[in-house]
Amino acid sequence: MKKTSTRLADGRELIYYDLADDTVRDAVDRRPLDATVTTSEIRRDELLGDSVAIASHRQGRTYHPPADECPLCPSEGDRLSEIPDSSYDVVVFENRFPSLAGDSGRCEVVCFTSDHNASFASLSERQARLVLDAWTDRTSELSHLPSVEQVFCFENRGAEIGVTLQHPHGQIYAYPFTTPRTALMLRQVAAHKEATGGDNLFDAVVERERAGERVVLEGEHWVAFVPYAAHWPYEVHLYPKRRVPDLLGLDEAARAEFPRVYLELLRRFDRIFGENEPPTPYIAAWHQAPFGPLDDFDGVTRDDFALHLELFTIRRTSGKLKFLAGSESGMNVFINDVPPERAAERLREVASS
């Protein structure tokens, strides 16, 4: 992998990740851009104890442009985009309309391929490995920023999810706090550790699931399963078999196997509802240990956390979506219409090869 860092016309950082070591990246951003102005602010909710990002400048962000005006495609001739060069393998750049900025963290866009009509599932294993390496590199770099406590790499896929740019891409949020979802997991880890005299909750969950009926696929270094209490109709958790706190902790064997396992999982997701259905909308979310202090979690360390990816769709059956209505949105109590055991069975049935 070759990494080349440059700057866009408004001062934002852009980084090329290339498969070939001899690739030259010297294209200049020719757009007449003013400096980016953000209004991002973090506000603490006293009743719930969590935080909300207020970012009014995002109202003006790019919204469903036609394919020939996609800002994530390479620049070509007089059509100038966020990527100055005429091609790329993987590219990462600071979001022009960030939810988090400055002392409130940082937001980045990750473009998986220059092919506008592709998807992550259509990438080669070599390309998918390059994306993994980019996620890992950005996790390392962002973790050293003084305002950052947690790094979150994710992909939103599909208009039903709310995606406004159809080019295959994901995002990275670098939060200035430990997110509420992670804090819940850390509290459960702490309670389990105390109750069992030191056992790890993540290890117990993975061991139980590997012995049960909800495993979707398993490799030498990774295992994917539908969790016992899945919140979403089709939800899969992907874990490395050797517990590590973040992407940086993966060894070469796990990195080498990841593309095959993950691409197989995504391709199965696209086949859940039948060959004639549109691509399955999904969210793919990496959960990594915070880089900030864990003093609030009763003796839990970063090494007690387990890196894992959660992949889920909001489509519950053909042509029907799972909406977060009263119980889910009002009380955060999910109601799942698809038994996890049936979801796992279906995902095993639709093997893509």
Side-chain angles (χ1 to χ4, degrees), residues 111-268:
C111 298
F112 303 140
T113 170
S114 61
D115 183 354
H116 182 84
N117 298 312
S119 67
F120 202 118
S122 70
L123 298 181
S124 68
E125 291 188 13
R126 193 165 176 239
Q127 289 172 299
R129 169 62 189 266
L130 185 61
V131 177
L132 175 64
D133 290 341
W135 281 331
T136 305
D137 181 71
R138 297 315 301 151
T139 296
S140 176
E141 293 290 330
L142 293 170
S143 71
H144 290 96
L145 296 180
S147 63
V148 172
E149 287 195 12
Q150 187 171 356
V151 179
F152 175 46
C153 308
F154 65 100
E155 180 192 1
N156 298 328
R157 193 271 189 100
E160 300 94 329
I161 297 293
V163 175
T164 58
L165 298 176
Q166 298 309 310
H167 195 104
H169 73 288
Q171 300 180 67
I172 302 175
Y173 276 22
Y175 298 100
F177 50 78
T178 296
T179 61
R181 182 75 178 276
T182 303
L184 283 173
M185 284 190 267
L186 290 170
R187 284 196 284 271
Q188 290 298 105
V189 168
H192 184 84
K193 193 173 186 179
E194 181 179 5
T196 60
D199 289 350
N200 184 272
L201 177 59
F202 287 108
D203 291 350
V205 168
V206 172
E207 181 180 359
R208 182 188 68 221
E209 293 291 1
R210 288 185 66 195
E213 59 182 318
R214 289 179 295 275
V215 172
V216 174
L217 58 90
E218 185 168 2
E220 184 178 354
H221 304 285
W222 295 85
V223 60
F225 55 84
V226 178
Y228 171 73
H231 288 55
W232 298 93
Y234 290 91
E235 174 182 342
V236 176
H237 293 189
L238 176 64
Y239 279 78
K241 291 183 179 178
R242 183 179 68 88
R243 173 165 45 91
V244 295
D246 51 42
L247 290 165
L248 304 172
L250 292 173
D251 60 21
E252 177 54 32
R255 293 181 184 281
E257 186 182 69
F258 171 79
R260 179 180 64 79
V261 173
Y262 187 49
L263 290 172
E264 169 69 14
L265 195 56
L266 291 179
R267 290 163 187 166
R268 292 191 190 193

Side-chain angles (χ1 to χ4, degrees), residues 34 40 47 55 62-63 78 91-92 131 133-134 145 164 225 240 291 299 306 319 335 344:
D34 294 329
S40 182
L47 291 178
T62 308
Y63 187 80
D78 293 331
V91 70
V92 178
V131 177
D133 290 341
L145 296 180
T164 58
F225 55 84
F291 290 95
I335 301 169

Side-chain angles (χ1 to χ4, degrees), residues 10 15 19 39 61 75 100 112 146 158 174 188 198 210 213 225 251 264 280 289 326 336:
D10 56 8
I15 306 158
L19 291 167
T39 58
R61 66 188 184 273
S75 293
L100 309 167
F112 303 140
Q188 290 298 105
R210 288 185 66 195
E213 59 182 318
F225 55 84
D251 60 21
E264 169 69 14
T280 302
N336 190 351

